[in-house]
Amino acid sequence: MSAKIANILFIGDVVGNSGLQMVSRMLKGFISKYEVDFVICNGENAHNGKGMSLEALNLMLEAGVDVVTGGNHTWNNFNFFETLKTHDRVLRPQNYPKGTYGKGHGVYKLPRGLGNITVLNLQGRTFMYPIDCPFRTADWVIKQTKEQSSLVVVDFHAEATAEKLALAWYLDGRVSAVIGTHTHVQTADERIFPKGTAYLSDVGMTGPYQSVIGMQVKSAVDRMLYQTPHKYECATDDVHFAAVLLKLDVETSKSVGIERIFYPEFETTVPQG
Amino acid sequence: MSAKIANILFIGDVVGNSGLQMVSRMLKGFISKYEVDFVICNGENAHNGKGMSLEALNLMLEAGVDVVTGGNHTWNNFNFFETLKTHDRVLRPQNYPKGTYGKGHGVYKLPRGLGNITVLNLQGRTFMYPIDCPFRTADWVIKQTKEQSSLVVVDFHAEATAEKLALAWYLDGRVSAVIGTHTHVQTADERIFPKGTAYLSDVGMTGPYQSVIGMQVKSAVDRMLYQTPHKYECATDDVHFAAVLLKLDVETSKSVGIERIFYPEFETTVPQG
Amino acid sequence: MSAKIANILFIGDVVGNSGLQMVSRMLKGFISKYEVDFVICNGENAHNGKGMSLEALNLMLEAGVDVVTGGNHTWNNFNFFETLKTHDRVLRPQNYPKGTYGKGHGVYKLPRGLGNITVLNLQGRTFMYPIDCPFRTADWVIKQTKEQSSLVVVDFHAEATAEKLALAWYLDGRVSAVIGTHTHVQTADERIFPKGTAYLSDVGMTGPYQSVIGMQVKSAVDRMLYQTPHKYECATDDVHFAAVLLKLDVETSKSVGIERIFYPEFETTVPQG
Amino acid sequence: MSAKIANILFIGDVVGNSGLQMVSRMLKGFISKYEVDFVICNGENAHNGKGMSLEALNLMLEAGVDVVTGGNHTWNNFNFFETLKTHDRVLRPQNYPKGTYGKGHGVYKLPRGLGNITVLNLQGRTFMYPIDCPFRTADWVIKQTKEQSSLVVVDFHAEATAEKLALAWYLDGRVSAVIGTHTHVQTADERIFPKGTAYLSDVGMTGPYQSVIGMQVKSAVDRMLYQTPHKYECATDDVHFAAVLLKLDVETSKSVGIERIFYPEFETTVPQG
Ligand SMILES: [Fe+2]
Ligand SMILES: [Fe+2]
Ligand SMILES: [Fe+2]
Ligand SMILES: [Fe+2]
Ligand SMILES: [Fe+2]
Ligand SMILES: [Fe+2]
Ligand SMILES: [Fe+2]
Ligand SMILES: [Fe+2]
């Protein structure tokens, strides 16, 4: 591998203990296999499916994660706010309004003399909360961090495909990658935009797939059928690891490769007797 | 290929003239390559990106499509309502309320003595319109059509991954496939559920990818930046074909294979000089 | 007062203990002052601002209420579901889907030989949950109950003024009154529609007005400022009683009078020194 | 009337030609009757129910209006944007993002040596578009305009009662009045907050009441029944004038009186034969 290429592994929303265990068990192997230099991991659902905890954060860091990003569920566990305020390896979306706990981007050192990388966590607004504009927030962070690092990877935690694609076009050539999270379903649209920004609409969930995006099937179906509250219960079975590997050219700050990872693969054929 | 396996090709949201041309140019080749028995195609964006027209319908049928399904945009072109009422090869979501034009499912004859197939078009409600319950509507249609055909393919036109997965679990073993449309982004989660229902969260768009889900980039970005109306203009460049191939066992009515198609593939690596 | 006129008092969303106390203290006086024959009271927020309880229900019934209606918050307190299933004096919106606990309408006996009255609880869908159609549900209940009673009072628990007015026009002449709840703000648009249906967009809240619709000001403002969760705390101060008095002509089933009640009145002038 | 009290008339959303005619016919009389010093009028629906036009603006100004405010519909008529950019008597919500046409507040001269008044137009975000924060935008404008005028009247164009009340508590004592628009239904909760800010959740519509918030009844009901597009048609019959009169103490910048106006009043009793 070229000395000028940074290999970044980006892991999608880790859900609950089964997701955390999957990360603990598998990550070192992936790091070794893909010669990974830096690991970003969305952890907004690590604490029993809803929010974050110091314990979950430590588990991920020990497993080999370098920085944990967040999303709308970051705020579910009030006990995590102290950590969120002070820990430099955990982010929440930058475009939450001023006065919110925590920080939304960080500049981190890469190994092998590859320089620094900026990780920027943003959140969408379509079908979500009316927080600050993610487009303008990105402009501001790019300007702020430019001198420390021109490699920028964005975790865009958003629901609507239109908003994700609009941000990717808006940032094409100005950040190294725009990677979507939040829907818990991996998309198949990985590509490199014309000016060098790698893009994937959603990395998907690292967690239990005998579920509705991580939630026990019965409660999730009942919520739809009756439109009344049904207790959230985190699912546990059929755990998969969802991630994307980015290859960033440190000289140009552009992406030169993007590859989806989903392990183990789903069954797509049924053996016939 | 076994005489007992029906090969169904399901094409995702065709957007505008460039999408229609792609279907006209490519479909015959895919039919031949995959020995396709029946073609379902979501056409809600065929008429300039918004709605349907008789002309677009005829183009798709001539290209080899057997039945055209719809979605929320079906209602954008008032001129299409007459056709929607009477034509037996075009559907709109079944769970629009009583009194709405058109029909939401049809039973069609397969070639090669494979019997009949029911195509059922449903629409989600999360982040969309409060129409009738798609879960209960599916129950009703399955019961209605059971004697004519036990093969059922569902086009579930929906936004939220949770709603799509909940419906798949709800219908697992009772329909042959639940295939999502509407987000215009192909997902990578094709699988066969435990009781034999094939599933894909979204087939993705057949249309111009130098766009925000089919719309010109500038207007789409401006809508996000300013939150004011900006004229919808259909994009035209970088057209791709998005579909999924289903293999249905005619004896058991279950799926035995599911394979995504996206043509041409996106660039995921950049050659380095 | 004519023997043919039924005086119905309809009390708006009772919030928490302070709201319950207001009902206990004031209702008997209002019943006597206005010669009230029947009292309907929306109780979806009676249990600490969120949901219902058997205790709250009993307090309202003892205070003189005849039937307690509900809304989206009815489902917040799981402990109430047993009562909801069996008690004949408590309703939840009728248009929740089949399989939901409780019932959405009841036919009750009026005093003074005035016959029966149907109370129908419905919920809107604009900006709310996608439950069954309130318009068609109203049609069905009117038909069902016609022989037992032609007096029908609707509690339409809804957010959007457009949906409330649309239902009123749709039901004009077929029910005696359409009375809105849910926004916790009394509207000033009481009127009798051309065919005899009395209408008020919202009765308003019976509860603490030093609040944001019943919630402590600080948490409510913080939710808006930061778009993160802030614990719901029920307010307690500046309690007012919000209701509307309906005069129904028992022979024609139409309304002949509608009068808002808000006690004590707000200060609208400031004395100048 | 005291020389120190400024009488401000605030007219609610004027809908279409029938609303404009009502303003033309009635406003001079109200100005004279209430000794009005300054007239604010929400005009977002003046142009056939959707948006604004130069013609509508001129009609309102000629009728006696001093400044026309806007809302979400301001952007419906593309032809108005030139006027919006340059005319100093028309506003659109201040908290639309940077780069949007027009301005969101103005400082205007009052007659009788009463000094200046700041009119600030804001828009809510709950159930509306994710524009900038109205709370923080208000802070900024208050600071900006403080030296020119300490009288501030806010037109808060918003859907949710919670958001309206939260802003009123947030601004209590810092602006003279927070007056809601947008729902087209006048509320009955006019009051003066503890620190002197006058408040009304909504002024209501100046326009045709044989309608669903200004729209022809049939199309509006059909939209709800079928959840498909039905052409917007502006209603024309049963026109009422909705406004609120504010009495501002020029020395303290606080409100000393608030009075609703609705003309002609609705029928609330039916004569019995
Ligand atoms: Fe997540
Ligand atoms: Fe999320
Ligand atoms: Fe589509
Ligand atoms: Fe769609
Ligand atoms: Fe309520
Ligand atoms: Fe409610
Ligand atoms: Fe309006
Ligand atoms: Fe509006």
Side-chain angles (χ1 to χ4, degrees):
Chain A
M1 184 189 52
S2 160
K4 305 287 184 42
I5 303 298
N7 289 329
I8 312 298
L9 188 74
F10 187 123
I11 304 170
D13 305 42
V14 175
V15 172
N17 290 329
S18 67
L20 285 167
Q21 281 164 29
M22 184 53 130
V23 172
S24 294
R25 236 184 5 248
M26 305 297 305
L27 182 52
K28 293 274 156 69
F30 283 117
I31 288 172
S32 155
K33 177 177 176 189
Y34 295 108
E35 302 182 12
V36 171
D37 294 303
F38 193 82
V39 180
I40 300 163
C41 179
N42 188 296
E44 67 145 5
N45 307 104
H47 179 63
N48 301 325
K50 296 247 179 181
M52 274 285 293
S53 66
L54 178 55
E55 205 184 338
L57 174 61
N58 284 334
L59 268 170
M60 288 183 275
L61 296 177
E62 282 156 26
V65 170
D66 290 289
V67 60
V68 173
T69 53
N72 52 312
H73 284 299
T74 291
W75 318 101
N76 283 60
N77 180 14
F78 288 79
N79 295 328
F80 187 64
F81 291 179
E82 244 351 271
T83 307
L84 193 58
K85 272 193 233 178
T86 56
H87 204 292
D88 68 333
R89 294 276 159 174
V90 66
L91 303 176
R92 46 75 174 171
Q94 175 76 49
N95 55 327
Y96 269 85
K98 245 180 219 173
T100 314
Y101 300 126
K103 61 198 171 103
H105 72 279
V107 180
Y108 303 95
K109 199 169 191 280
L110 291 172
R112 300 196 289 127
L114 292 167
N116 292 328
I117 185 171
T118 299
V119 178
L120 168 55
N121 195 183
L122 292 172
Q123 188 169 298
R125 304 189 295 181
T126 305
F127 312 133
M128 299 183 84
Y129 302 109
I131 55 177
D132 293 348
C133 174
F135 294 73
R136 291 172 178 87
T137 302
D139 290 341
W140 178 81
V141 171
I142 290 166
K143 210 174 152 189
Q144 283 291 108
T145 59
K146 194 183 246 166
E147 303 201 347
Q148 294 163 270
S149 164
S150 59
L151 290 184
V152 183
V153 173
V154 178
D155 173 354
F156 190 31
H157 196 77
E159 176 74 36
T161 48
E163 194 172 15
K164 287 171 168 179
L165 279 157
L167 188 75
W169 283 109
Y170 185 74
L171 295 179
D172 184 24
R174 297 196 288 146
V175 300
S176 313
V178 172
I179 303 299
T181 57
H182 175 69
T183 72
H184 292 203
V185 169
Q186 190 171 87
T187 58
D189 61 339
E190 70 277 16
R191 59 167 154 161
I192 296 176
F193 269 58
K195 295 184 183 159
T197 297
Y199 175 75
L200 177 66
S201 287
D202 212 287
V203 192
M205 172 179 72
T206 294
Y209 277 79
Q210 190 176 313
S211 76
V212 171
I213 64 169
M215 186 181 182
Q216 291 284 7
V217 171
K218 190 181 161 12
S219 320
V221 169
D222 282 355
R223 282 185 183 188
M224 306 273 168
L225 281 177
Y226 304 114
Q227 300 294 327
T228 48
H230 292 264
K231 216 183 172 144
Y232 179 92
E233 287 178 276
C234 203
T236 54
D237 294 344
D238 192 21
V239 184
H240 295 250
F241 182 90
V244 66
L245 183 72
L246 305 170
K247 293 185 169 292
L248 311 188
D249 182 326
V250 171
E251 310 243 301
T252 63
S253 302
K254 298 183 188 230
S255 281
V256 295
I258 177 167
E259 184 184 340
R260 280 189 293 110
I261 294 166
F262 190 73
Y263 179 86
E265 289 188 5
F266 280 131
E267 294 300 323
T268 59
T269 55
V270 170
Q272 287 175 273
Chain B
M1 184 189 53
S2 159
K4 303 288 182 45
I5 304 298
N7 289 327
I8 312 297
L9 188 75
F10 187 123
I11 305 170
D13 304 42
V14 175
V15 173
N17 289 329
S18 68
L20 285 167
Q21 281 164 30
M22 184 54 129
V23 172
S24 293
R25 233 181 11 245
M26 305 297 304
L27 183 51
K28 293 276 156 70
F30 284 117
I31 289 173
S32 155
K33 176 177 177 189
Y34 294 108
E35 301 183 12
V36 171
D37 295 304
F38 193 81
V39 180
I40 301 164
C41 179
N42 188 296
E44 69 146 4
N45 307 104
H47 179 64
N48 301 324
K50 295 248 179 182
M52 274 283 295
S53 65
L54 178 55
E55 206 184 337
L57 174 61
N58 284 334
L59 268 170
M60 288 183 274
L61 297 177
E62 282 157 26
V65 170
D66 290 291
V67 59
V68 173
T69 53
N72 53 312
H73 283 299
T74 291
W75 319 101
N76 284 59
N77 180 14
F78 288 79
N79 295 328
F80 187 64
F81 291 0
E82 244 352 89
T83 307
L84 192 58
K85 271 193 234 180
T86 55
H87 204 292
D88 68 335
R89 294 277 159 173
V90 66
L91 303 176
R92 46 76 176 169
Q94 175 77 49
N95 56 327
Y96 269 85
K98 244 180 220 173
T100 315
Y101 300 127
K103 62 197 171 105
H105 72 279
V107 180
Y108 303 96
K109 200 171 192 280
L110 292 172
R112 299 194 291 127
L114 291 166
N116 292 329
I117 186 172
T118 299
V119 178
L120 167 57
N121 194 182
L122 292 171
Q123 188 168 299
R125 303 188 297 180
T126 305
F127 311 132
M128 300 183 83
Y129 302 110
I131 55 177
D132 293 348
C133 174
F135 294 73
R136 292 173 178 87
T137 303
D139 290 341
W140 178 81
V141 171
I142 290 166
K143 209 173 153 189
Q144 282 292 109
T145 58
K146 193 183 246 167
E147 303 202 348
Q148 294 163 273
S149 162
S150 58
L151 290 184
V152 183
V153 173
V154 178
D155 173 353
F156 190 30
H157 196 79
E159 176 73 36
T161 48
E163 194 172 16
K164 286 172 169 178
L165 279 156
L167 188 74
W169 283 110
Y170 185 75
L171 296 180
D172 183 23
R174 298 197 286 145
V175 301
S176 313
V178 172
I179 303 300
T181 57
H182 176 67
T183 71
H184 292 204
V185 169
Q186 190 171 87
T187 59
D189 62 340
E190 71 276 16
R191 60 167 153 161
I192 296 175
F193 269 58
K195 296 184 183 158
T197 297
Y199 175 74
L200 177 66
S201 287
D202 212 287
V203 192
M205 172 178 74
T206 295
Y209 278 78
Q210 189 176 315
S211 77
V212 172
I213 65 168
M215 186 180 181
Q216 291 283 7
V217 170
K218 189 178 162 16
S219 322
V221 169
D222 283 353
R223 283 185 183 190
M224 306 272 169
L225 281 177
Y226 304 113
Q227 300 293 327
T228 48
H230 291 264
K231 217 184 172 145
Y232 179 92
E233 287 178 276
C234 201
T236 53
D237 293 345
D238 191 22
V239 183
H240 294 250
F241 182 90
V244 66
L245 183 72
L246 305 170
K247 293 185 169 292
L248 311 188
D249 182 325
V250 171
E251 309 243 301
T252 64
S253 301
K254 295 179 191 234
S255 281
V256 295
I258 177 167
E259 184 183 340
R260 280 188 294 108
I261 295 165
F262 190 72
Y263 178 86
E265 289 187 5
F266 280 130
E267 293 302 324
T268 58
T269 54
V270 170
Q272 288 175 271
Chain C
M1 185 189 53
S2 160
K4 304 290 183 41
I5 303 299
N7 288 328
I8 313 297
L9 188 74
F10 187 122
I11 304 170
D13 304 42
V14 175
V15 173
N17 290 328
S18 68
L20 285 167
Q21 281 163 30
M22 183 54 130
V23 171
S24 293
R25 237 186 2 250
M26 305 298 304
L27 182 53
K28 293 275 156 70
F30 283 117
I31 289 173
S32 154
K33 177 177 175 187
Y34 295 108
E35 301 183 11
V36 171
D37 294 304
F38 194 82
V39 180
I40 301 163
C41 179
N42 189 296
E44 68 146 4
N45 307 103
H47 179 63
N48 301 326
K50 295 248 179 181
M52 274 285 294
S53 66
L54 178 55
E55 206 184 336
L57 174 61
N58 284 334
L59 268 171
M60 288 183 275
L61 297 178
E62 283 156 26
V65 170
D66 291 288
V67 60
V68 173
T69 53
N72 52 312
H73 284 298
T74 291
W75 317 101
N76 284 59
N77 180 14
F78 288 79
N79 294 327
F80 187 65
F81 290 1
E82 248 345 276
T83 308
L84 193 57
K85 271 193 234 180
T86 54
H87 205 292
D88 68 334
R89 294 278 158 173
V90 66
L91 303 176
R92 46 75 176 171
Q94 175 75 50
N95 55 327
Y96 269 85
K98 245 181 219 176
T100 315
Y101 300 127
K103 61 198 170 102
H105 72 278
V107 180
Y108 303 96
K109 200 170 189 278
L110 292 172
R112 299 195 290 126
L114 291 166
N116 292 330
I117 185 170
T118 299
V119 178
L120 167 57
N121 194 183
L122 292 171
Q123 188 169 299
R125 304 188 295 180
T126 306
F127 312 131
M128 300 183 84
Y129 303 110
I131 54 176
D132 294 347
C133 174
F135 294 74
R136 292 172 178 87
T137 302
D139 291 341
W140 178 81
V141 172
I142 290 167
K143 210 173 152 188
Q144 282 293 107
T145 58
K146 192 183 245 167
E147 301 202 349
Q148 294 163 271
S149 164
S150 59
L151 290 184
V152 183
V153 173
V154 178
D155 173 353
F156 190 31
H157 197 77
E159 176 73 36
T161 48
E163 194 172 14
K164 287 172 168 178
L165 279 156
L167 188 75
W169 283 110
Y170 185 73
L171 295 179
D172 183 24
R174 299 197 286 146
V175 300
S176 312
V178 172
I179 303 299
T181 58
H182 175 68
T183 71
H184 292 201
V185 169
Q186 191 172 84
T187 58
D189 62 339
E190 71 276 18
R191 59 167 154 161
I192 296 175
F193 269 58
K195 294 184 183 160
T197 297
Y199 175 75
L200 178 67
S201 287
D202 213 287
V203 193
M205 171 177 72
T206 295
Y209 277 78
Q210 190 176 315
S211 76
V212 171
I213 63 167
M215 186 181 183
Q216 290 284 7
V217 170
K218 188 177 163 16
S219 322
V221 169
D222 282 354
R223 283 185 183 189
M224 306 272 169
L225 281 177
Y226 304 114
Q227 299 294 325
T228 48
H230 292 264
K231 219 186 168 141
Y232 180 91
E233 287 178 277
C234 202
T236 53
D237 293 344
D238 191 23
V239 184
H240 294 250
F241 181 90
V244 65
L245 183 72
L246 305 170
K247 293 184 168 294
L248 311 187
D249 182 325
V250 171
E251 310 243 301
T252 63
S253 300
K254 296 180 189 232
S255 280
V256 296
I258 177 167
E259 184 183 341
R260 281 189 292 108
I261 294 166
F262 190 73
Y263 179 86
E265 290 187 7
F266 279 130
E267 294 301 323
T268 58
T269 55
V270 170
Q272 289 174 270
Chain D
M1 185 189 50
S2 159
K4 305 287 182 43
I5 303 299
N7 289 327
I8 312 297
L9 188 74
F10 188 123
I11 304 171
D13 304 43
V14 175
V15 173
N17 289 329
S18 68
L20 285 167
Q21 280 164 30
M22 183 53 128
V23 172
S24 294
R25 233 181 10 245
M26 305 297 306
L27 182 52
K28 293 275 156 69
F30 283 117
I31 289 173
S32 153
K33 177 177 176 189
Y34 295 106
E35 301 181 12
V36 171
D37 294 304
F38 193 81
V39 180
I40 300 164
C41 179
N42 188 296
E44 67 146 4
N45 307 103
H47 179 63
N48 301 325
K50 295 247 180 183
M52 273 284 295
S53 66
L54 178 56
E55 205 184 338
L57 175 60
N58 284 334
L59 267 170
M60 288 183 275
L61 296 178
E62 282 156 26
V65 170
D66 290 290
V67 60
V68 172
T69 53
N72 53 313
H73 284 299
T74 290
W75 318 101
N76 284 61
N77 180 14
F78 289 79
N79 295 327
F80 187 64
F81 291 180
E82 249 343 277
T83 307
L84 193 58
K85 272 193 233 180
T86 55
H87 204 292
D88 68 334
R89 294 277 159 174
V90 66
L91 304 175
R92 47 74 176 171
Q94 175 76 49
N95 56 327
Y96 269 85
K98 245 181 219 175
T100 314
Y101 301 127
K103 62 196 170 103
H105 72 278
V107 180
Y108 303 96
K109 199 168 191 279
L110 292 172
R112 298 194 293 127
L114 292 166
N116 291 329
I117 186 171
T118 299
V119 178
L120 168 56
N121 194 182
L122 292 171
Q123 188 168 299
R125 303 189 296 181
T126 306
F127 312 132
M128 300 183 82
Y129 303 110
I131 54 177
D132 294 347
C133 174
F135 294 73
R136 291 172 177 87
T137 302
D139 290 342
W140 179 81
V141 171
I142 290 166
K143 210 174 153 189
Q144 282 292 108
T145 58
K146 194 183 245 169
E147 301 200 351
Q148 294 164 273
S149 164
S150 58
L151 289 184
V152 183
V153 173
V154 178
D155 173 354
F156 191 30
H157 197 77
E159 177 73 35
T161 48
E163 195 172 16
K164 287 171 168 179
L165 280 156
L167 187 75
W169 283 109
Y170 185 75
L171 296 180
D172 184 23
R174 298 196 288 146
V175 300
S176 312
V178 172
I179 303 299
T181 57
H182 176 68
T183 71
H184 292 202
V185 168
Q186 190 171 87
T187 58
D189 62 339
E190 71 276 16
R191 59 168 153 160
I192 296 175
F193 269 58
K195 295 183 183 161
T197 296
Y199 175 74
L200 177 66
S201 286
D202 213 287
V203 192
M205 170 179 74
T206 296
Y209 277 79
Q210 188 176 315
S211 77
V212 171
I213 62 166
M215 186 181 182
Q216 291 284 7
V217 171
K218 188 178 165 13
S219 322
V221 169
D222 282 353
R223 283 184 182 189
M224 306 272 168
L225 281 176
Y226 304 114
Q227 299 293 327
T228 49
H230 291 264
K231 217 182 172 145
Y232 179 93
E233 287 178 276
C234 201
T236 53
D237 293 344
D238 192 21
V239 184
H240 294 251
F241 181 90
V244 65
L245 183 72
L246 305 170
K247 293 185 169 292
L248 311 187
D249 182 325
V250 171
E251 310 243 300
T252 64
S253 300
K254 297 180 188 233
S255 281
V256 296
I258 177 167
E259 183 183 341
R260 282 188 292 108
I261 294 165
F262 190 72
Y263 179 85
E265 290 186 6
F266 280 131
E267 294 300 323
T268 58
T269 55
V270 170
Q272 289 175 273

